[in-house]
Amino acid sequence: MKLTLILAGPYSSCTETRAIWSDACQAQQIDVEIFNLDDEQGENMACQYNLKTFPALIHDHKIIAVGHPSKDDAIKIINDLALQSRE
């Protein structure tokens, strides 16, 4: 399983969000690709998904979370995804 995280840029809130998602994914051994909106690839993905809110977490071509999650929310989302992938 691989997730994609698109961040708005090098802002403190994005740095914190990046750490939350990265830690949650690492605990479940899930790869997460991270892009910034100010990078060409991140901008292209934001256009592809018509994103207006950031950060955005994408799985299987679907947006599954937007905004800054709490650690508990991120862990729950990632744990649920990991459980679904095992079924």
Side-chain angles (χ1 to χ4, degrees):
M1 175 188 320
K2 189 176 202 177
L3 302 177
T4 302
L5 178 63
I6 303 175
L7 301 168
Y11 308 108
S12 61
S13 61
C14 290
T15 302
E16 189 176 331
T17 299
R18 177 187 190 130
I20 289 170
W21 284 120
S22 294
D23 291 348
C25 288
Q26 185 177 11
Q28 288 293 334
Q29 298 177 335
I30 294 173
D31 291 329
V32 61
E33 266 188 311
I34 300 172
F35 300 99
N36 282 314
L37 185 58
D38 54 0
D39 297 332
E40 184 177 340
Q41 197 167 10
E43 184 179 351
N44 290 340
M45 292 187 82
C47 289
Q48 175 186 350
Y49 289 100
N50 196 28
L51 293 173
K52 305 290 186 225
T53 304
F54 299 92
L57 186 68
I58 300 166
H59 171 256
D60 198 23
H61 305 289
K62 294 177 188 164
I63 301 164
I64 59 170
V66 294
H68 179 74
S70 68
K71 287 182 183 184
D72 290 340
D73 287 342
I75 289 168
K76 180 178 181 346
I77 290 168
I78 298 303
N79 288 349
D80 288 349
L81 281 174
L83 184 60
Q84 289 173 12
S85 72
R86 291 183 196 125
E87 293 178 348

